[in-house]
Amino acid sequence: MAKKRRPQPQSAAPQIKDGEVPVVGAREPCPCGSGRRYKACHGRRAAHAATELVQRPFEGLPGECDWVALRELVPAATAELTLKGGLPEGVPSVTLATVLPMAWPALRRENGAVLLGLQNDTASGDLSRDLADTLQRALATEPGNPVAAARPAADGPRLQDLLDTDAPFEPTVHTGFEFWVENAENATGEVAASLERANAAAVPTARIPGLEGAYWCEAPEKNHLRWVTAHPEEQLLDALARLHAAGTSSLGEDTRLVGSFRAHGLVVPVWDLPSSMGAEDVAKPAAAFADRLAEALAVTTPLTTEERRARGGLTNRQITLS
């Protein structure tokens, strides 16, 4: 049997505050003087802080549903961001983009403008903190350079700390990725070829006007409406079950509520649509459904047997994206 390590007297340990403990190798003695390895002492706390999952990273931001949609569902879109206190000198604009070339986390254009990529791998469990860290580094990057990925400080700012939460969030959906480069219409050579390849892979998508988080997309066999909602999950599933059992959960002839996604703490109901039904065709029936949903959400009586059965079917067809 291995000998037990004799604990070090606590009185001999130097008094170092958590914020002052430097990061060392995982197997090295913790600098706090506890006698334990770093990974079993302060390193454990640091790792926990870096990996603890924030279920709703965009909560508190205007347009939370659209943030989730751009992160998970929309291939090509941008939105202008407003910083608290205004833009720094030399930065004419800050723009959120679904994805950037080479999957860069961010890009500082030659003119000083910043593009912040949303669909990137996260270094911690808090997407908002990751994006805020990338944004801060992008603002300080020399113009004409991309921003590399990095792990944010566990106590670093979040988007909610950097963005003006009173400013509107208005995404613009694009048919392609021409927003990557300035004067894209004059692109030639490898740049033009790269844009062509990226555009070919993008699923045609459109935002439904007047309905936050609602996006139509075109698929080979059926079109879809995917609608990110901010309603509490259990309450929403009850309401959808009531409508489904009553035969009023569709958006018209040949349409069907087929299930839902769960993404960043929000539920995303999904409808199958006929191939002939475009984005402009779904706007009116979707608005009518929103009215029916509001009425169903207000009902507080227990679900009937048929409604519970409908709810079970919807729950079984739920997929978690994040």
PDB file of all heavy atoms in Angstrom, residues 20 22 37 69-70 77 86 134 167 169 172 179 188 193 198 228 257 265 289 291-293 298 301 311 318:
ATOM      1  N   GLU A  20      -4.626  35.815  -5.914  1.00  0.00           N
ATOM      2  CA  GLU A  20      -3.190  36.008  -6.051  1.00  0.00           C
ATOM      3  C   GLU A  20      -2.455  34.708  -6.351  1.00  0.00           C
ATOM      4  O   GLU A  20      -1.250  34.699  -6.525  1.00  0.00           O
ATOM      5  CB  GLU A  20      -2.637  36.606  -4.751  1.00  0.00           C
ATOM      6  CG  GLU A  20      -3.212  37.973  -4.422  1.00  0.00           C
ATOM      7  CD  GLU A  20      -2.747  38.462  -3.065  1.00  0.00           C
ATOM      8  OE1 GLU A  20      -2.191  37.639  -2.300  1.00  0.00           O
ATOM      9  OE2 GLU A  20      -2.939  39.650  -2.772  1.00  0.00           O
ATOM     10  N   PRO A  22      -0.903  32.032  -8.406  1.00  0.00           N
ATOM     11  CA  PRO A  22      -0.530  31.905  -9.815  1.00  0.00           C
ATOM     12  C   PRO A  22      -0.872  30.527 -10.354  1.00  0.00           C
ATOM     13  O   PRO A  22      -1.012  29.563  -9.601  1.00  0.00           O
ATOM     14  CB  PRO A  22       0.990  32.123  -9.787  1.00  0.00           C
ATOM     15  CG  PRO A  22       1.405  31.665  -8.430  1.00  0.00           C
ATOM     16  CD  PRO A  22       0.269  32.032  -7.514  1.00  0.00           C
ATOM     17  N   ARG A  37      -1.219  18.920  -4.614  1.00  0.00           N
ATOM     18  CA  ARG A  37      -0.926  19.330  -5.986  1.00  0.00           C
ATOM     19  C   ARG A  37      -1.906  20.422  -6.413  1.00  0.00           C
ATOM     20  O   ARG A  37      -3.045  20.480  -5.936  1.00  0.00           O
ATOM     21  CB  ARG A  37      -1.030  18.132  -6.930  1.00  0.00           C
ATOM     22  CG  ARG A  37       0.071  17.093  -6.727  1.00  0.00           C
ATOM     23  CD  ARG A  37      -0.108  15.933  -7.673  1.00  0.00           C
ATOM     24  NE  ARG A  37       0.966  14.965  -7.528  1.00  0.00           N
ATOM     25  CZ  ARG A  37       1.054  13.824  -8.228  1.00  0.00           C
ATOM     26  NH1 ARG A  37       0.111  13.540  -9.103  1.00  0.00           N
ATOM     27  NH2 ARG A  37       2.056  13.000  -8.044  1.00  0.00           N
ATOM     28  N   ALA A  69     -30.685  31.911 -32.151  1.00  0.00           N
ATOM     29  CA  ALA A  69     -30.904  31.490 -33.536  1.00  0.00           C
ATOM     30  C   ALA A  69     -29.649  31.683 -34.384  1.00  0.00           C
ATOM     31  O   ALA A  69     -29.272  30.816 -35.168  1.00  0.00           O
ATOM     32  CB  ALA A  69     -32.073  32.265 -34.137  1.00  0.00           C
ATOM     33  N   LEU A  70     -28.987  32.831 -34.232  1.00  0.00           N
ATOM     34  CA  LEU A  70     -27.772  33.096 -35.007  1.00  0.00           C
ATOM     35  C   LEU A  70     -26.644  32.162 -34.585  1.00  0.00           C
ATOM     36  O   LEU A  70     -25.790  31.816 -35.409  1.00  0.00           O
ATOM     37  CB  LEU A  70     -27.350  34.549 -34.849  1.00  0.00           C
ATOM     38  CG  LEU A  70     -27.864  35.526 -35.920  1.00  0.00           C
ATOM     39  CD1 LEU A  70     -29.367  35.540 -35.999  1.00  0.00           C
ATOM     40  CD2 LEU A  70     -27.333  36.929 -35.656  1.00  0.00           C
ATOM     41  N   ALA A  77     -25.523  35.618 -41.214  1.00  0.00           N
ATOM     42  CA  ALA A  77     -26.253  36.785 -40.720  1.00  0.00           C
ATOM     43  C   ALA A  77     -25.294  37.692 -39.965  1.00  0.00           C
ATOM     44  O   ALA A  77     -24.245  37.248 -39.483  1.00  0.00           O
ATOM     45  CB  ALA A  77     -27.410  36.358 -39.807  1.00  0.00           C
ATOM     46  N   GLY A  86     -20.064  53.872 -25.880  1.00  0.00           N
ATOM     47  CA  GLY A  86     -19.703  54.202 -27.256  1.00  0.00           C
ATOM     48  C   GLY A  86     -18.490  53.439 -27.753  1.00  0.00           C
ATOM     49  O   GLY A  86     -17.857  52.668 -27.024  1.00  0.00           O
ATOM     50  N   THR A 134     -13.160  37.780 -26.375  1.00  0.00           N
ATOM     51  CA  THR A 134     -12.738  37.921 -27.768  1.00  0.00           C
ATOM     52  C   THR A 134     -12.968  39.347 -28.255  1.00  0.00           C
ATOM     53  O   THR A 134     -12.126  39.929 -28.953  1.00  0.00           O
ATOM     54  CB  THR A 134     -13.511  36.935 -28.659  1.00  0.00           C
ATOM     55  OG1 THR A 134     -13.254  35.599 -28.216  1.00  0.00           O
ATOM     56  CG2 THR A 134     -13.080  37.064 -30.111  1.00  0.00           C
ATOM     57  N   ALA A 167     -29.980  49.102 -26.308  1.00  0.00           N
ATOM     58  CA  ALA A 167     -29.953  49.231 -27.772  1.00  0.00           C
ATOM     59  C   ALA A 167     -30.639  48.026 -28.410  1.00  0.00           C
ATOM     60  O   ALA A 167     -30.528  46.906 -27.909  1.00  0.00           O
ATOM     61  CB  ALA A 167     -28.513  49.335 -28.252  1.00  0.00           C
ATOM     62  N   PHE A 169     -31.460  44.887 -30.970  1.00  0.00           N
ATOM     63  CA  PHE A 169     -30.659  43.875 -31.643  1.00  0.00           C
ATOM     64  C   PHE A 169     -31.418  43.462 -32.886  1.00  0.00           C
ATOM     65  O   PHE A 169     -32.456  42.803 -32.804  1.00  0.00           O
ATOM     66  CB  PHE A 169     -30.420  42.683 -30.723  1.00  0.00           C
ATOM     67  CG  PHE A 169     -29.521  41.613 -31.298  1.00  0.00           C
ATOM     68  CD1 PHE A 169     -28.156  41.810 -31.375  1.00  0.00           C
ATOM     69  CD2 PHE A 169     -30.052  40.418 -31.755  1.00  0.00           C
ATOM     70  CE1 PHE A 169     -27.320  40.824 -31.908  1.00  0.00           C
ATOM     71  CE2 PHE A 169     -29.234  39.432 -32.284  1.00  0.00           C
ATOM     72  CZ  PHE A 169     -27.866  39.635 -32.354  1.00  0.00           C
ATOM     73  N   THR A 172     -29.547  40.870 -39.588  1.00  0.00           N
ATOM     74  CA  THR A 172     -29.767  40.886 -41.033  1.00  0.00           C
ATOM     75  C   THR A 172     -29.306  39.551 -41.587  1.00  0.00           C
ATOM     76  O   THR A 172     -28.132  39.186 -41.439  1.00  0.00           O
ATOM     77  CB  THR A 172     -28.973  42.023 -41.704  1.00  0.00           C
ATOM     78  OG1 THR A 172     -29.413  43.283 -41.188  1.00  0.00           O
ATOM     79  CG2 THR A 172     -29.168  41.999 -43.217  1.00  0.00           C
ATOM     80  N   PHE A 179     -20.300  39.440 -46.773  1.00  0.00           N
ATOM     81  CA  PHE A 179     -19.955  40.391 -45.713  1.00  0.00           C
ATOM     82  C   PHE A 179     -18.560  40.113 -45.144  1.00  0.00           C
ATOM     83  O   PHE A 179     -18.029  40.919 -44.378  1.00  0.00           O
ATOM     84  CB  PHE A 179     -21.007  40.357 -44.595  1.00  0.00           C
ATOM     85  CG  PHE A 179     -21.149  39.027 -43.898  1.00  0.00           C
ATOM     86  CD1 PHE A 179     -20.317  38.677 -42.844  1.00  0.00           C
ATOM     87  CD2 PHE A 179     -22.140  38.131 -44.290  1.00  0.00           C
ATOM     88  CE1 PHE A 179     -20.459  37.463 -42.186  1.00  0.00           C
ATOM     89  CE2 PHE A 179     -22.284  36.915 -43.636  1.00  0.00           C
ATOM     90  CZ  PHE A 179     -21.442  36.577 -42.588  1.00  0.00           C
ATOM     91  N   THR A 188     -11.692  38.325 -56.692  1.00  0.00           N
ATOM     92  CA  THR A 188     -11.188  37.442 -57.740  1.00  0.00           C
ATOM     93  C   THR A 188     -10.341  36.338 -57.117  1.00  0.00           C
ATOM     94  O   THR A 188     -10.056  36.350 -55.920  1.00  0.00           O
ATOM     95  CB  THR A 188     -10.327  38.228 -58.753  1.00  0.00           C
ATOM     96  OG1 THR A 188      -9.218  38.833 -58.052  1.00  0.00           O
ATOM     97  CG2 THR A 188     -11.139  39.314 -59.448  1.00  0.00           C
ATOM     98  N   ALA A 193     -13.256  32.205 -55.073  1.00  0.00           N
ATOM     99  CA  ALA A 193     -13.514  30.767 -55.003  1.00  0.00           C
ATOM    100  C   ALA A 193     -13.961  30.352 -53.606  1.00  0.00           C
ATOM    101  O   ALA A 193     -14.867  29.522 -53.455  1.00  0.00           O
ATOM    102  CB  ALA A 193     -12.268  29.989 -55.415  1.00  0.00           C
ATOM    103  N   ALA A 198     -18.332  28.624 -49.844  1.00  0.00           N
ATOM    104  CA  ALA A 198     -19.084  28.869 -48.617  1.00  0.00           C
ATOM    105  C   ALA A 198     -20.561  29.128 -48.913  1.00  0.00           C
ATOM    106  O   ALA A 198     -21.446  28.605 -48.232  1.00  0.00           O
ATOM    107  CB  ALA A 198     -18.482  30.054 -47.860  1.00  0.00           C
ATOM    108  N   VAL A 228     -37.266  30.121 -32.061  1.00  0.00           N
ATOM    109  CA  VAL A 228     -36.675  30.170 -30.728  1.00  0.00           C
ATOM    110  C   VAL A 228     -37.594  30.984 -29.824  1.00  0.00           C
ATOM    111  O   VAL A 228     -37.943  32.127 -30.145  1.00  0.00           O
ATOM    112  CB  VAL A 228     -35.276  30.817 -30.756  1.00  0.00           C
ATOM    113  CG1 VAL A 228     -34.634  30.737 -29.374  1.00  0.00           C
ATOM    114  CG2 VAL A 228     -34.384  30.132 -31.795  1.00  0.00           C
ATOM    115  N   LEU A 257     -46.364  20.510 -36.670  1.00  0.00           N
ATOM    116  CA  LEU A 257     -45.415  20.672 -35.578  1.00  0.00           C
ATOM    117  C   LEU A 257     -44.779  19.309 -35.334  1.00  0.00           C
ATOM    118  O   LEU A 257     -45.459  18.364 -34.945  1.00  0.00           O
ATOM    119  CB  LEU A 257     -46.127  21.165 -34.320  1.00  0.00           C
ATOM    120  CG  LEU A 257     -45.287  21.268 -33.041  1.00  0.00           C
ATOM    121  CD1 LEU A 257     -44.176  22.303 -33.194  1.00  0.00           C
ATOM    122  CD2 LEU A 257     -46.174  21.615 -31.840  1.00  0.00           C
ATOM    123  N   GLY A 265     -30.665  26.995 -23.182  1.00  0.00           N
ATOM    124  CA  GLY A 265     -31.698  27.209 -22.179  1.00  0.00           C
ATOM    125  C   GLY A 265     -33.059  27.567 -22.726  1.00  0.00           C
ATOM    126  O   GLY A 265     -33.997  27.759 -21.954  1.00  0.00           O
ATOM    127  N   PHE A 289     -50.584  31.772 -35.098  1.00  0.00           N
ATOM    128  CA  PHE A 289     -50.220  30.755 -34.106  1.00  0.00           C
ATOM    129  C   PHE A 289     -49.731  31.413 -32.822  1.00  0.00           C
ATOM    130  O   PHE A 289     -50.015  30.919 -31.718  1.00  0.00           O
ATOM    131  CB  PHE A 289     -49.139  29.827 -34.658  1.00  0.00           C
ATOM    132  CG  PHE A 289     -48.638  28.840 -33.634  1.00  0.00           C
ATOM    133  CD1 PHE A 289     -49.329  27.660 -33.410  1.00  0.00           C
ATOM    134  CD2 PHE A 289     -47.513  29.107 -32.872  1.00  0.00           C
ATOM    135  CE1 PHE A 289     -48.901  26.760 -32.443  1.00  0.00           C
ATOM    136  CE2 PHE A 289     -47.072  28.221 -31.909  1.00  0.00           C
ATOM    137  CZ  PHE A 289     -47.771  27.039 -31.690  1.00  0.00           C
ATOM    138  N   ASP A 291     -50.771  34.053 -31.455  1.00  0.00           N
ATOM    139  CA  ASP A 291     -51.956  34.435 -30.681  1.00  0.00           C
ATOM    140  C   ASP A 291     -52.552  33.215 -29.982  1.00  0.00           C
ATOM    141  O   ASP A 291     -52.939  33.295 -28.799  1.00  0.00           O
ATOM    142  CB  ASP A 291     -52.998  35.083 -31.595  1.00  0.00           C
ATOM    143  CG  ASP A 291     -52.545  36.425 -32.151  1.00  0.00           C
ATOM    144  OD1 ASP A 291     -51.672  37.061 -31.515  1.00  0.00           O
ATOM    145  OD2 ASP A 291     -53.052  36.833 -33.218  1.00  0.00           O
ATOM    146  N   ARG A 292     -52.648  32.092 -30.694  1.00  0.00           N
ATOM    147  CA  ARG A 292     -53.186  30.874 -30.074  1.00  0.00           C
ATOM    148  C   ARG A 292     -52.277  30.394 -28.940  1.00  0.00           C
ATOM    149  O   ARG A 292     -52.749  29.934 -27.898  1.00  0.00           O
ATOM    150  CB  ARG A 292     -53.334  29.759 -31.121  1.00  0.00           C
ATOM    151  CG  ARG A 292     -54.317  30.073 -32.234  1.00  0.00           C
ATOM    152  CD  ARG A 292     -54.730  28.826 -32.997  1.00  0.00           C
ATOM    153  NE  ARG A 292     -53.623  28.127 -33.637  1.00  0.00           N
ATOM    154  CZ  ARG A 292     -53.145  28.423 -34.838  1.00  0.00           C
ATOM    155  NH1 ARG A 292     -53.657  29.436 -35.518  1.00  0.00           N
ATOM    156  NH2 ARG A 292     -52.152  27.728 -35.363  1.00  0.00           N
ATOM    157  N   LEU A 293     -50.973  30.504 -29.149  1.00  0.00           N
ATOM    158  CA  LEU A 293     -50.031  30.078 -28.123  1.00  0.00           C
ATOM    159  C   LEU A 293     -50.170  30.934 -26.867  1.00  0.00           C
ATOM    160  O   LEU A 293     -50.124  30.424 -25.745  1.00  0.00           O
ATOM    161  CB  LEU A 293     -48.597  30.158 -28.657  1.00  0.00           C
ATOM    162  CG  LEU A 293     -47.492  29.757 -27.677  1.00  0.00           C
ATOM    163  CD1 LEU A 293     -47.639  28.297 -27.256  1.00  0.00           C
ATOM    164  CD2 LEU A 293     -46.117  29.992 -28.296  1.00  0.00           C
ATOM    165  N   ALA A 298     -51.796  30.903 -21.076  1.00  0.00           N
ATOM    166  CA  ALA A 298     -52.537  31.489 -19.965  1.00  0.00           C
ATOM    167  C   ALA A 298     -53.390  30.461 -19.229  1.00  0.00           C
ATOM    168  O   ALA A 298     -53.874  30.736 -18.122  1.00  0.00           O
ATOM    169  CB  ALA A 298     -53.414  32.633 -20.468  1.00  0.00           C
ATOM    170  N   THR A 301     -55.163  25.042 -15.900  1.00  0.00           N
ATOM    171  CA  THR A 301     -55.784  23.789 -15.479  1.00  0.00           C
ATOM    172  C   THR A 301     -54.887  22.611 -15.844  1.00  0.00           C
ATOM    173  O   THR A 301     -54.089  22.692 -16.787  1.00  0.00           O
ATOM    174  CB  THR A 301     -57.153  23.618 -16.155  1.00  0.00           C
ATOM    175  OG1 THR A 301     -56.983  23.693 -17.589  1.00  0.00           O
ATOM    176  CG2 THR A 301     -58.116  24.705 -15.700  1.00  0.00           C
ATOM    177  N   ARG A 311     -48.153  15.811 -25.065  1.00  0.00           N
ATOM    178  CA  ARG A 311     -46.945  16.367 -24.460  1.00  0.00           C
ATOM    179  C   ARG A 311     -45.814  15.346 -24.450  1.00  0.00           C
ATOM    180  O   ARG A 311     -44.651  15.679 -24.725  1.00  0.00           O
ATOM    181  CB  ARG A 311     -47.233  16.835 -23.036  1.00  0.00           C
ATOM    182  CG  ARG A 311     -46.133  17.692 -22.411  1.00  0.00           C
ATOM    183  CD  ARG A 311     -46.443  17.978 -20.950  1.00  0.00           C
ATOM    184  NE  ARG A 311     -45.639  19.033 -20.383  1.00  0.00           N
ATOM    185  CZ  ARG A 311     -44.370  18.915 -19.994  1.00  0.00           C
ATOM    186  NH1 ARG A 311     -43.751  17.754 -20.140  1.00  0.00           N
ATOM    187  NH2 ARG A 311     -43.720  19.950 -19.482  1.00  0.00           N
ATOM    188  N   GLN A 318     -37.706  15.883 -28.815  1.00  0.00           N
ATOM    189  CA  GLN A 318     -36.908  17.072 -28.498  1.00  0.00           C
ATOM    190  C   GLN A 318     -35.416  16.721 -28.561  1.00  0.00           C
ATOM    191  O   GLN A 318     -34.987  15.703 -28.017  1.00  0.00           O
ATOM    192  CB  GLN A 318     -37.259  17.585 -27.103  1.00  0.00           C
ATOM    193  CG  GLN A 318     -36.668  18.949 -26.788  1.00  0.00           C
ATOM    194  CD  GLN A 318     -37.152  19.471 -25.443  1.00  0.00           C
ATOM    195  OE1 GLN A 318     -36.890  18.868 -24.410  1.00  0.00           O
ATOM    196  NE2 GLN A 318     -37.885  20.573 -25.454  1.00  0.00           N
TER     197      GLN A 318
END
